[in-house]
């Protein structure tokens, strides 16, 4: 195996990462001989670790928490979507030797919603809960799907308003505090808050959904998240977690590195079955 076939995911913690399983499955589809491993990087040591990886001939890195912003600063060149996101989850050594940073989270979300789940974004009323890094990372691809309207709400209204200011050149959108929800209804609700990780739920009005509304939580797990349970209780037409997004953003990274588009449905099923059996 040549050094150009070496890849890894950097994070802390990283033992739980499903990236090695996903990328090994992608490589097996085409019989590609490549090595992918999870690497725990100490706090304050990201730049040195990444520099050493690429100096040793490594071809590409995935970046998970808490190093996405450090990867953004480390990259020598950035894609437009990485610039928008202010964070990088994919680093690549390009043919000219430059280390390029990209962000595939938003593409992964849109592909899961549209291609895998069969939901529509175009022409729909879209609500995003949360205005942190997760929301920022998916905003541009969602806006480019041309929703009828897009509203961002956040506990700190100023953070949502800042995203509106930064992304309004792509398409019209609005943002502020949860009070903006009132009795408004939405066709698609994306939970980009960290509430599900803590087993909590954003404060949402019971009138938020219609009988045709779809609800998506960026968090995933073996059991439905509190947001997913809330959506089902309020008769959402369809509910999903972020496992498909995880696989689809990895598929985009794989394509950037290898110029091969892997099949994702079987990998999503494999991960789901593994999680449920565990």
């Amino acid at each position: 195996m040549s050094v150009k076939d070496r890849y890894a995911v950097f994070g802390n913690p990283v033992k739980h990462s499903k990236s090695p399983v996903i990328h090994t499955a992608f490589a097996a589809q085409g019989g590609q001989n490549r090595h992918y491993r999870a690497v725990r990087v100490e706090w304050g040591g990201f730049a040195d670790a990444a520099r050493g990886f690429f100096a040793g001939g490594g071809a590409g890195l995935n970046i998970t928490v808490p190093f996405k912003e450090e990867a953004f600063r480390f990259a020598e060149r950035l894609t437009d979507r990485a610039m928008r996101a202010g964070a990088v989850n994919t680093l690549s050594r390009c043919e000219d030797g430059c280390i390029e940073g990209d962000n595939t989270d938003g593409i992964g979300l849109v592909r899961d919603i549209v291609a895998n789940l069969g939901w529509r974004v175009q022409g729909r009323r879209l609500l995003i809960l949360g205005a942190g890094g997760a929301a920022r990372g998916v905003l541009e691809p969602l806006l480019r799907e041309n929703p009828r309207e897009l509203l961002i709400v956040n506990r700190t209204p100023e953070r949502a308003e800042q995203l509106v200011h930064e992304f309004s050149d792509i398409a019209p959108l609005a943002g502020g505090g949860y009070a903006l929800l009132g009795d408004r209804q939405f066709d698609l609700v994306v939970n980009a808050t960290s509430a599900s990780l803590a087993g909590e739920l954003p404060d949402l009005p019971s009138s938020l959904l219609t009988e045709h509304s779809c609800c998506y939580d960026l968090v995933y797990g073996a059991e439905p998240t509190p947001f997913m349970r809330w959506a089902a209780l309020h008769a959402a037409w369809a509910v999903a977690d972020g496992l498909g997004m995880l696989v689809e953003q990895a598929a985009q990274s794989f394509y950037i590195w290898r110029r091969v588009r892997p099949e994702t449905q079987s990998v999503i099923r494999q991960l789901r079955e593994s999680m449920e059996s565990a």
Side-chain angles (χ1 to χ4, degrees):
M1 182 184 302
S2 68
V3 291
K4 70 178 182 180
D5 294 319
R6 288 178 50 230
Y7 302 87
V9 55
F10 280 10
N12 187 346
V14 76
K15 185 178 181 180
H16 68 286
S17 174
K18 301 187 185 305
S19 293
V21 173
I22 294 171
H23 282 275
T24 297
F26 288 163
Q29 292 176 12
Q32 297 191 32
N33 183 27
R34 58 194 294 273
H35 180 66
Y36 189 107
R37 66 193 183 104
V39 178
R40 184 178 183 271
V41 176
E42 296 303 322
W43 289 83
F46 175 82
D48 287 342
R51 197 175 295 114
F53 176 84
F54 286 110
L61 285 174
N62 283 136
I63 313 298
T64 187
V65 292
F67 299 121
K68 291 185 180 183
E69 291 183 0
E70 288 194 54
F72 179 88
R73 295 189 292 270
F74 176 83
E76 298 166 343
R77 184 167 62 216
L78 294 163
T79 64
D80 289 343
R81 58 179 171 244
M83 286 288 292
R84 289 277 190 183
V88 160
N89 75 344
T90 303
L91 289 169
S92 312
R93 178 185 293 281
C94 300
E95 291 184 1
D96 60 3
C98 182
I99 305 302
E100 183 172 87
D102 204 342
N103 191 305
T104 65
D105 286 333
I107 289 178
L109 172 62
V110 169
R111 283 191 176 147
D112 192 38
I113 286 177
V114 177
N116 296 337
L117 299 172
W119 303 354
R120 283 181 52 199
V121 179
Q122 184 178 14
R124 300 294 185 175
R125 297 168 296 176
L126 172 57
L127 171 65
I128 296 180
L129 308 175
R136 178 183 292 274
V138 302
L139 254 180
E140 179 180 3
L142 285 171
L143 283 169
R144 295 202 184 280
E145 287 294 304
N146 297 315
R148 177 173 142 194
E149 63 178 278
L150 190 151
L151 175 66
I152 308 167
V153 294
N154 193 62
R155 286 183 179 177
T156 307
E158 293 78 13
R159 296 189 70 180
E161 293 163 0
Q162 179 61 33
L163 289 183
V164 171
H165 174 73
E166 294 182 29
F167 287 83
S168 60
D169 62 313
I170 300 176
L173 70 163
Y178 279 81
L180 288 178
L181 294 177
D183 58 358
R184 297 175 65 179
Q185 293 185 312
F186 294 87
D187 306 304
L188 175 59
V189 182
V190 175
N191 181 24
T193 72
S194 58
S196 290
L197 293 172
E200 300 173 353
L201 178 71
D203 186 18
L204 303 173
S206 59
S207 58
L208 191 67
L209 307 180
T210 74
E211 60 182 4
H212 301 295
S213 297
C214 299
C215 294
Y216 194 102
D217 199 328
L218 300 190
V219 172
Y220 65 90
E223 300 293 334
T225 67
F227 172 72
M228 294 170 67
R229 290 193 179 99
W230 176 89
L233 180 65
H234 289 82
W237 181 74
V239 181
D241 69 6
L243 184 65
M245 172 184 170
L246 173 73
V247 175
E248 292 295 344
Q249 64 82 22
Q252 182 64 22
S253 293
F254 190 92
Y255 177 78
I256 290 170
W257 294 332
R258 311 292 288 193
R259 289 294 179 247
V260 174
R261 179 73 62 189
E263 185 273 323
T264 56
Q265 293 279 356
S266 63
V267 181
I268 295 171
R269 287 195 300 271
Q270 174 189 339
L271 288 176
R272 183 72 70 191
E273 290 169 2
S274 176
M275 288 166 50
E276 291 176 351
S277 64

